[in-house]
Each structure stands twice: as C-alpha cells, then as structure tokens.
Amino acid sequence: MHDSFFNHIASTTQDAMSVHTFNTALIEASSHAIFLLDEKGDLLFYNKQASAFVCTEVQDQFSFFQLVEYGLDHQKYFTEALKGEVVRFTTILKTKFGKSTRVMLSYVPILIEGQLQAVYAICKKKSEEQLNVMTLQTQLNMEQKLANIGSWYYDVLENESYWSRQMYVIFGMEETSDFIPSYDEVLTFVHPGDRQRVNQTIKRAIEKGDSYSIKYRLVQPSGHSRIVFEQADPVIDEKNQVVQLLGVVFDVTEIHQIKKQLKQVERQFSMVYNSLDVGIWSADVRTNKVTFCSDGVANIYEEAAMKFIQSRSLWKECVHPDDLEKVEAEQVKLMGGEPICHYYRIVTKKGITKWLKDQVIPVLDDSGKVIRLDGIVEDVTEQKRYTDEIEYLANYDYLTNLPNRRKFERDLTNAIARVKKNHSFIAVFYLGLDRFKYLNDTLGHDIGDLMLQKLAHRLEKTVQGKGSLSRVGGDEFAIFFESLDRLEECTQIAKSLFEQVEREVEIDEFHLHTTTSMGITIYPHDGKDAKTLLKNASLALYRAKELGKNDWQLYSPHMDSRTYKSFHLEKGLRNAIEQNEFFLHYQPKINTQTRELDSFEALIRWDHPEWGFVSPGEFIPLAEESNLIVKIGDWVLERVCQQLQEWKQLGLTVVPMSVNLSSKRLLKPNFVEFVMELLERYDIDSSLIELEITENSIIHHEEQVKKMMTVLKKQGVTFALDDFGTGFSSLSHLQKLDFDVLKIDKTFIQSVVENEKHQTITKSLLYLARGLNMKVIAEGVETRAQLSFLEENDCPFIQGYIFSKPVCIEQAIIYLKAKYLEPVV
C-alpha cells in the first residue's frame, strides 16, 4: 500500500535531476560567453567562452564593469535588469589581453519567489563558441535535500497515537515516552486552513476502511510551518471494524520549495533560451518526439515550434537536397553515440535557403544506447556569405575574377604531379601588357581596369578547356598548358594569344590597342616546381621587353633582366650600412575616432652617393635576391630599438614601432635570440615592437614562422599581417597564425570611394578583423572621402598621407609631443 508514496518521491527527484542535466548540457554546448553577476555587478561565475575576458588568476572580487568601455551606459542597463527586465544592447568589452571586441550583451535577471538572486550577462560574438552552466548545476544540487520520513500508528479504540523518533523531528518536538497524543491533539498540529479537510479524510478512512494519501500543512510548537505528505492504511478486525491506522509522514517542505524554485528556474532558463539567437531543442529517441523546442528554432526554420514537437521528421524535410546525404552520414555517427557539429543548408517553406551550424549531443543509457538528443542550431548564413567572400578573395583576382597567383601556383603544382606519371610536358606562359602604364596615366585607372577585364575575358575564352589562366600582377597574366607533345605547339599558342591581345578594344568613345610581351618556360626543363617555372617565365618576359616588346622569349639559364643601374645598386648595397647611407623615416598610425597618435611604422631610406635618394621599390627586391635583406633588416630593427631608447632618455612618451620583416630573415635560426638580445641591450619593452609580415613570405614556411611567432608573442612582441587582400591572401593563415594586427592594403583604399567592389572587399576585411578580435589598420589613406568611408565603417586605425607622409626624426618627435594629429588635406 506504500508503493505510490515512494514512487511520488522518486518521480519528484528524477524530474529535477533530468531537467537540471538537460539545462546544463545545452548551455555547455553554447558558443556564447555567459557571466553570472550579483546585484552589485560583481562576478559570481563565468563559463569557458567568457574566459577570453577574465584572467584565470583573478582571486579577489571582480566587477563585470571593469570589462566594459562605457561604464555609465552599462550601469543604466544593469539597473533596469535589477528591476526584473531583460535588456539587450550592443556594446564593447575589453578582453584580458586589453583588446576591444563588439558584442551583443543581454542582461537576464534571475528571480526566485519574486526576489532578485543574480543577473546573467550573455555575450554573443561573430565568430560561433559554447555555454557553461556547471556552477548553476552545483547551485541546483545544493538546493535538493534529503527528505525526512516518520512512521506512526493510531489505536482507534483507545484513541491513542504512537510516533517514531523521526515524527518528533518533523513535528518540531522533543521525543518523550509519556507523550501519547489523542486524535484531537494530533489535529491541533494541523494548520487551521487544512484541519477540516484532514479530519474528513481520516474520519472517512475509519468509517469505510479506506486507505488515504493527503498533503497538508502542519504548525510546529515553535510556530514554524511545514508541508507534509501523509499516507495511511487501516487495520480491520474480524467484525470488519477499523481498529488501527498505520501510516507514515514525509516532510516534503524542501521538495515543495525545490519544485517551486525548479519551475521558476525553468522559466528563467526559458527566458535565457529565448534571448539567444540560436535554437535549442531536445528529442526523445525512444518515442521519436521532440520534447523541447525554443523560439529560436521556429525563427530559423520559419515554422511553429509545435509542428516540430508533433513531428520530428519535419527537420529532415527542410534539409537542402544536395546536403541530405551529408546530413544522414552525420546522423549515423550521432546514433553511434558520437557528438556532432556540422554545417548544411535548409530551405524554408518560403523558399529561402539558409546555412545552419548544427551541434547535437547524444545522451546514452547504461548500455550505451542513445536515448535522447540535445541540440543547438544556429543560422550562420551571414557568416557563411562573408567567409565565402573572403575565401574567394583569397583565391581570385577581384578585378577580373580570374584565379590569382596563389591559386595559379597551387593548380600548376597539381598539374606537375599529374604529368609526372606520363612523362609529358607543361608550358607556362607569362604575359605582360606593353605600355599599359602609359594608358593608365593618360586615360585613368577606370579605363585601364575595363581594358584589363575585356582582355582577361578574351584570353579566358582562348584557353578555355585547354589550359589555366590567372592574373598574377597589375598588367600581367600567366597561363599553363598540360601534356604538350612538341615545342611547336608553344609557337601556335603564343600566336593565338598575341592575336587576342592585339585586337582593338572599344571602351566608351575610345578605340584602344595594345600589345603583349611573353616569356615561356617548359616543365621539366626550366624548373621542377611551380614557383621556379613562374619565376623563370617572368625573367623571359622581361627579356622580351628589353629586346623591343611585342615578342616572346623562351627561358634560358643565362638570361639577366637587370639594368645597368640595378647592377650598380646591388653593388652599392654591400657597403651602404658601413657607409651610413641608410636612414629611417617614420609614418604615424592614427586612431580614427580620437585622432590620437597610436604608433609609427619605421621605413628605410637610402641616400646613394651617385644616384641620390633610391626608392625602396628599387633596392629592396635587389636586397631580397642577393640575401643582403637579412643584414639590412637587422640594421633596421636595431636602429628602431636605439631610437626608442633615445626618445625615452629625452623624457618622451614613446609609442609602439612596427618594422617590416623579410621572409628570409624569419627563417634564420637565430632570429628570436637576436630580437630578445636587442630588447635587453636597449632596455626596450617588448610591447613597443611590432613585426610586420607579408603573407607571401609565409606561404611555403608556415610551420617555421608559427614557431617563431609563438616564442616572441609569449615575450610580448606583436605581429601584423601586411598587405592583406592583394590577391595572395588565405584564411588558413589567419586561423593557424595568431596575428594581432591586420593591415588592409592601399590598393583597395585608394579607390574605395568610387569602386563598389573595393568597398565590399574593405567592409569584408573589417568584418573579418572584428570577428577575429584583430586590430585593423587601413593603409594609403589620402583623401577626406576615403577617411569618411573608413570612419563610417568603424575602421579603428589608419595610416596615410591624409595625416602625414613618412617623416624624419625631428618631425616624429614633434608628433610625439603633440600626441594628436589632424588631417592635412
């Protein structure tokens, strides 16, 4: 007769644990940073995603408002949350590394019986991370206490009751052997509001011989009220009369409170879930039914949540047909007990295609069989679009939509691997338009861009199905053809390419003509890898230009395309450092919002005794080819450290200085030791040194560069990725190498006002940098219009002539003292 009583206890505890475990698993899988705050804004706990903002070493009281950049605004919103309101707004937080990141912040109050207990701060970032509610789980566990059970029997004929020891505890009395309460005395413990109902229930049991179960309030002698659950069975004699009642009393006060609080917590969790942009769901595998579905699911799928609850198969019906096979393969892994996280498309009933990020955690029984699935689904359509744009930018030329140099080299490498098997040939053609600079200077870059597009289209049609075409430079194209049988085919191909370029090009009222020079290399005679073949083809191209243009040259190992001046410049480079012919200029980088001087970039200059001031564009390539770039780079870095020391000794407030690094210097084994020795010798804080690396310098040496960066970053040195977006960029480098700064190349900035493509690319790069928590600097800003565009699109830092050209030491000191710069145009 007591089975239903204990089943009631087990059911209550199991429900609490099941909901608690479910809530914990879902928040654990979320990609958002979550903080739990007290009413003062002090941090109670935070999840794994929030650790990017809080140092793990923090032991003392820590206020959440230390993380925000605009404390007054946060105090205003936080005050509203303390009143019980859910508040959402966009703001900027500082990470534990001192960087700023924009987030969508939600304050969600936690109310228990109408009283504020704490406040959730939920931070959503572009970049997808997971919720961690283990602390809340501990809190819920502490709220669950073991219930007390007392036994008793009542002698109906004698009107006497006998209690176990635990009954005295429940009724708040001291145990005594001479206390034998009568029926009326027991009723005095029952709360007046429940006394009549209890009396009627017991009287009915005595009169009819029925068992009973009842919950009521009792009042202890101390005045404290308790909630109890009582169950009793009658003892009947041979005359069919009830002579005794045997029963138990279970103090369910704590359980009653837990159930009440649990409902409040469930409502609170529901508020949290529905404050998120993601969809949260749970499904019972045994019944194949969805048991929970947040508002976010309905918003993403554009279907009422009830439809998903009624039919779990609706999820599968929405999957894009082309992705169905991939999704089903993931489901096989999931039903094998493996958590999954995958991306696929759905098609809503309105015909809209969306990209989803779907994370599912299986729950297993003791035998390892999946019994429940808990999932989080997120609409990542916008992020996918930006990722696709950046990936396209990394592999294709923005103007002609042709593959860029990086993709060309990769495709050529794959082609070499193919032809190795059948011992055939590959011909590489390197084309450079003749007098194209003159056309750009006379008719403008817009006409030049249109001409490049038209010529690219012609060349693409010519080689379609036969070879692979790429734009590898401003007016330079590269093509390779596989499996050529004889050299004569190269002549025929070259003739066809010449004809396409020489045909008249009509642009508006202009009828334009141009020619091309061409260099050709043959695999495997002129190179065994893509980089060598392309380099030798470019040498043959320049040889063709030297010999009068509008012609082609087959590569020869004896070719030398350097001019007389280049020869003497290279010769002079070897003595330039010893003769003190090098010096540095400094170009400031400015905060766009405050106009404050943020840092300098150190730029090398050469005062040649014969040629005068030589452009870095002339001598840096020569230094790279002759390996003198290593020695020159070391001189620049040491001179920067020396200059910073001199400014400190003058009492000036110094700012960080960036230095360009050659790939050849990066790969030298002693580079890290060299940098650290300089910093120690000149007593320079490592945070004042920023090393700029072009992506082209790390393409083939990524692992070596990564090791070097890891060591120096631990010492405080920062790294910038220079010239990003010029057609050689890859997202993989941003994922694998931890750069601090992203520099947008001036190629995009100089025409960003009038060129919509450049606007889109620049916005995408700014979005990417913000998503990766990287500092971003736009280079080559020269006009007010360019500055306004960058300000409107939240570009935080710029570098360019609009504020200052590279300046000498004396002018740099003036900037340091002034601290702020205003536009000069």
Side-chain angles (χ1 to χ4, degrees):
M1 296 295 291
H2 294 274
D3 289 346
S4 62
F5 172 73
F6 290 105
N7 288 339
H8 171 82
I9 301 172
S11 174
T12 301
T13 305
Q14 183 177 358
D15 289 347
M17 289 301 295
S18 176
V19 172
H20 174 62
T21 303
F22 169 58
N23 291 335
T24 301
L26 291 179
I27 293 182
E28 173 75 18
S30 177
S31 60
H32 303 318
I34 294 185
F35 303 84
L36 184 65
L37 314 176
D38 64 14
E39 61 184 5
K40 297 179 181 179
D42 290 338
L43 187 64
L44 298 177
F45 78 91
Y46 55 93
N47 70 351
K48 180 173 66 177
Q49 300 301 328
S51 64
F53 299 92
V54 183
C55 291
T56 55
E57 293 80 5
V58 171
Q59 300 294 333
D60 299 328
Q61 195 173 54
F62 186 84
S63 173
F64 179 70
F65 302 117
Q66 294 176 232
L67 305 178
V68 302
E69 292 198 353
Y70 306 106
L72 293 178
D73 290 342
H74 283 261
Q75 287 285 4
K76 179 184 70 174
Y77 290 124
F78 191 74
T79 300
E80 295 179 17
L82 294 178
K83 298 176 182 178
E85 299 292 331
V86 177
V87 186
R88 301 182 69 188
F89 58 98
T90 300
T91 187
I92 296 176
L93 298 185
K94 293 178 291 189
T95 69
K96 59 186 178 184
F97 302 111
K99 301 174 186 173
S100 298
T101 181
R102 186 175 295 276
V103 299
M104 172 63 76
L105 179 60
S106 298
Y107 283 137
V108 181
I110 300 177
L111 303 175
I112 303 296
E113 296 184 345
Q115 297 296 317
L116 180 77
Q117 303 299 313
V119 176
Y120 281 113
I122 305 170
C123 304
K124 176 192 175 186
K125 297 189 291 183
K126 297 287 182 224
S127 126
E128 315 215 288
E129 318 129 7
Q130 296 184 346
L131 292 173
N132 185 343
V133 291
M134 293 303 296
T135 304
L136 184 57
Q137 182 181 21
T138 303
Q139 177 184 343
L140 290 174
N141 286 335
M142 292 176 62
E143 293 174 352
Q144 300 181 26
K145 299 178 181 179
L146 182 65
N148 293 321
I149 300 176
S151 61
W152 57 270
Y153 77 88
Y154 171 60
D155 189 320
V156 176
L157 299 180
E158 299 295 333
N159 191 23
E160 295 177 345
S161 297
Y162 298 90
W163 293 356
S164 70
R165 178 175 299 174
Q166 198 61 32
M167 284 288 291
Y168 290 94
V169 176
I170 293 172
F171 277 72
M173 298 179 58
E174 292 186 6
E175 183 180 4
T176 174
S177 59
D178 59 355
F179 179 67
I180 305 176
S182 66
Y183 180 85
D184 290 337
E185 288 174 327
V186 172
L187 282 180
T188 62
F189 287 93
V190 179
H191 190 282
D194 296 337
R195 193 172 295 161
Q196 182 178 356
R197 179 169 57 86
V198 172
N199 183 41
Q200 291 174 349
T201 299
I202 298 176
K203 290 293 187 183
R204 188 184 306 113
I206 295 174
E207 293 172 2
K208 297 185 177 182
D210 296 336
S211 299
Y212 71 85
S213 298
I214 188 171
K215 184 166 68 173
Y216 60 88
R217 293 167 292 174
L218 65 81
V219 181
Q220 297 175 339
S222 63
H224 292 106
S225 179
R226 309 292 293 176
I227 300 173
V228 298
F229 179 82
E230 180 175 298
Q231 182 169 333
D233 293 325
V235 177
I236 301 174
D237 64 10
E238 66 276 3
K239 298 179 180 179
N240 206 30
Q241 297 293 317
V242 175
V243 294
Q244 286 184 348
L245 292 176
L246 302 178
V248 291
V249 172
F250 174 33
D251 187 342
V252 296
T253 307
E254 284 74 18
I255 290 181
H256 179 79
Q257 289 292 346
I258 290 173
K259 291 177 68 175
K260 183 178 179 181
Q261 293 176 9
L262 185 58
K263 289 181 180 179
Q264 293 173 333
V265 170
E266 288 175 342
R267 288 194 294 268
Q268 190 64 46
F269 269 111
S270 181
M271 291 175 61
V272 173
Y273 296 153
N274 294 321
S275 297
L276 303 174
D277 292 335
V278 300
I280 301 174
W281 59 273
S282 183
D284 189 322
V285 175
R286 294 164 296 189
T287 61
N288 199 33
K289 290 289 185 181
V290 176
T291 56
F292 177 80
C293 192
S294 74
D295 291 347
V297 174
N299 295 335
I300 291 171
Y301 282 84
E302 299 176 7
E303 288 281 6
M306 185 55 66
K307 290 188 178 181
F308 289 100
I309 293 176
Q310 293 171 348
S311 174
R312 186 183 167 205
S313 63
L314 183 61
W315 297 63
K316 193 172 181 180
E317 294 171 5
C318 297
V319 176
H320 193 287
D322 293 343
D323 294 345
L324 187 57
E325 183 177 350
K326 179 178 66 174
V327 171
E328 289 178 340
E330 290 294 316
Q331 290 296 311
V332 172
K333 294 195 307 188
L334 180 64
M335 298 312 296
E338 180 181 345
I340 63 172
C341 178
H342 60 135
Y343 295 81
Y344 58 88
R345 291 165 293 176
I346 64 167
V347 181
T348 69
K349 62 182 181 181
K350 296 180 181 178
I352 299 173
T353 300
K354 297 181 179 181
W355 274 97
L356 302 187
K357 177 184 179 183
D358 193 3
Q359 303 175 80
V360 189
I361 302 170
V363 178
L364 313 179
D365 62 12
D366 293 339
S367 64
K369 184 178 180 181
V370 177
I371 58 174
R372 193 178 78 237
L373 301 175
D374 298 329
I376 295 179
V377 61
E378 183 177 2
D379 183 349
V380 294
T381 306
E382 183 180 357
Q383 296 95 309
K384 185 68 168 61
R385 179 170 61 84
Y386 275 104
T387 300
D388 289 344
E389 287 180 3
I390 299 300
E391 284 290 353
Y392 186 85
L393 174 65
N395 292 285
Y396 290 86
D397 172 57
Y398 66 92
L399 179 64
T400 63
N401 294 324
L402 293 176
N404 61 17
R405 185 189 192 99
R406 179 177 177 274
K407 188 173 189 306
F408 181 83
E409 288 188 6
R410 187 169 65 242
D411 292 344
L412 181 54
T413 299
N414 294 334
I416 290 172
R418 289 192 296 270
V419 301
K420 275 183 179 179
K421 299 176 182 178
N422 53 22
H423 306 288
S424 57
F425 302 98
I426 297 176
V428 177
F429 293 73
Y430 203 117
L431 285 68
L433 301 181
D434 299 328
R435 301 180 300 279
F436 187 74
K437 184 178 185 303
Y438 174 77
L439 183 146
N440 259 340
D441 293 342
T442 54
L443 299 181
H445 289 278
D446 290 340
I447 297 296
D449 287 350
L450 288 173
M451 187 170 186
L452 285 173
Q453 290 172 341
K454 288 181 176 289
L455 291 175
H457 181 65
R458 287 183 189 175
L459 294 173
E460 191 172 23
K461 290 180 66 176
T462 302
V463 303
Q464 192 170 22
K466 307 172 191 174
S468 179
L469 170 68
S470 169
R471 184 189 179 203
V472 293
D475 61 353
E476 296 178 339
F477 298 88
I479 311 168
F480 72 81
F481 296 87
E482 290 185 49
S483 304
L484 295 183
D485 295 327
R486 58 190 185 278
L487 186 60
E488 289 77 9
E489 290 185 62
C490 291
T491 304
Q492 297 171 4
I493 293 171
K495 180 180 178 182
S496 177
L497 295 174
F498 277 124
E499 290 174 353
Q500 293 299 324
V501 174
E502 291 171 1
R503 282 170 45 205
E504 182 179 82
V505 178
E506 293 186 24
I507 301 176
D508 298 334
E509 72 275 15
F510 300 106
H511 296 266
L512 306 176
H513 296 84
T514 189
T515 58
T516 184
S517 299
M518 197 179 306
I520 305 174
T521 50
I522 306 295
Y523 169 85
H525 306 299
D526 302 327
K528 300 294 180 65
D529 59 79
K531 185 173 288 295
T532 302
L533 286 167
L534 202 57
K535 182 190 73 173
N536 290 340
S538 68
L539 288 174
L541 163 66
Y542 292 122
R543 181 61 175 166
K545 285 181 176 288
E546 286 181 349
L547 294 177
K549 302 179 181 177
N550 194 23
D551 197 359
W552 63 274
Q553 286 288 317
L554 194 64
Y555 172 74
S556 167
H558 302 292
M559 283 183 173
D560 186 354
S561 62
R562 292 176 300 179
T563 63
Y564 175 81
K565 180 179 178 182
S566 297
F567 174 81
H568 284 276
L569 286 179
E570 180 181 354
K571 187 177 179 180
L573 276 173
R574 302 183 184 278
N575 300 316
I577 294 178
E578 286 74 18
Q579 299 299 325
N580 293 320
E581 294 172 7
F582 288 128
F583 59 98
L584 295 182
H585 273 179
Y586 306 90
Q587 187 171 30
K589 305 171 190 175
I590 306 300
N591 186 308
T592 52
Q593 299 298 320
T594 64
R595 301 295 192 256
E596 186 177 3
L597 173 64
D598 176 73
S599 56
F600 283 114
E601 179 177 3
L603 300 166
I604 189 170
R605 296 293 183 261
W606 185 12
D607 187 6
H608 191 278
E610 179 181 355
W611 302 99
F613 290 101
V614 182
S615 167
E618 289 187 86
F619 71 83
I620 292 297
L622 295 175
E624 288 277 1
E625 292 178 11
S626 61
N627 287 325
L628 289 171
I629 194 66
V630 173
K631 189 175 182 181
I632 293 174
D634 288 352
W635 178 87
V636 172
L637 190 55
E638 181 169 4
R639 185 68 190 92
V640 163
C641 292
Q642 185 180 7
Q643 187 61 70
L644 288 171
Q645 182 191 55
E646 291 174 5
W647 284 346
K648 285 174 57 180
Q649 291 172 349
L650 290 174
L652 297 171
T653 302
V654 297
V655 295
M657 191 90 73
S658 64
V659 178
N660 291 284
L661 282 185
S662 164
S663 60
K664 293 184 178 180
R665 188 62 185 98
L666 289 174
L667 302 176
K668 293 293 182 181
N670 66 336
F671 179 69
V672 172
E673 291 77 11
F674 174 75
V675 174
M676 299 311 301
E677 191 274 331
L678 284 180
L679 295 175
E680 182 178 359
R681 188 198 314 168
Y682 291 101
D683 191 24
I684 300 301
D685 191 322
S686 58
S687 64
L688 292 175
I689 298 299
E690 181 179 282
L691 302 178
E692 295 190 10
I693 304 174
T694 61
E695 188 172 46
N696 195 38
S697 67
I698 60 177
I699 288 177
H700 301 292
H701 308 283
E702 187 175 74
E703 289 304 318
Q704 291 172 268
V705 174
K706 183 178 180 179
K707 291 178 182 178
M708 178 276 298
M709 288 179 60
T710 301
V711 175
L712 286 179
K713 281 178 66 65
K714 286 182 180 179
Q715 301 299 324
V717 177
T718 60
F719 285 84
L721 183 58
D722 196 14
D723 296 338
F724 188 79
T726 55
F728 300 88
S729 307
S730 172
L731 286 180
S732 63
H733 297 313
L734 294 182
Q735 294 170 347
K736 297 177 183 178
L737 301 175
D738 188 18
F739 284 98
D740 306 285
V741 181
L742 184 69
K743 299 191 75 174
I744 301 177
D745 189 70
K746 63 182 179 181
T747 305
F748 303 108
I749 303 304
Q750 288 175 347
S751 57
V752 75
V753 176
E754 61 275 7
N755 190 313
E756 291 185 359
K757 284 189 177 181
H758 287 191
Q759 292 176 8
T760 301
I761 292 170
T762 302
K763 290 178 182 178
S764 297
L765 294 176
L766 289 170
Y767 178 89
L768 173 67
R770 285 193 292 267
L772 296 175
N773 292 327
M774 296 175 69
K775 178 179 179 180
V776 60
I777 299 174
E779 297 181 298
V781 184
E782 298 179 357
T783 68
R784 289 273 187 175
Q786 294 167 1
L787 177 61
S788 297
F789 173 85
L790 294 169
E791 288 176 329
E792 291 169 3
N793 288 278
D794 296 328
C795 179
F797 299 95
I798 68 167
Q799 178 181 354
Y801 285 7
I802 190 168
F803 282 100
S804 176
K805 295 181 179 181
V807 297
C808 62
I809 296 174
E810 292 75 16
Q811 185 62 44
I813 292 175
I814 294 175
Y815 288 163
L816 283 174
K817 292 179 178 179
K819 296 183 181 180
Y820 296 89
L821 277 74
E822 292 298 331
V824 295
V825 295

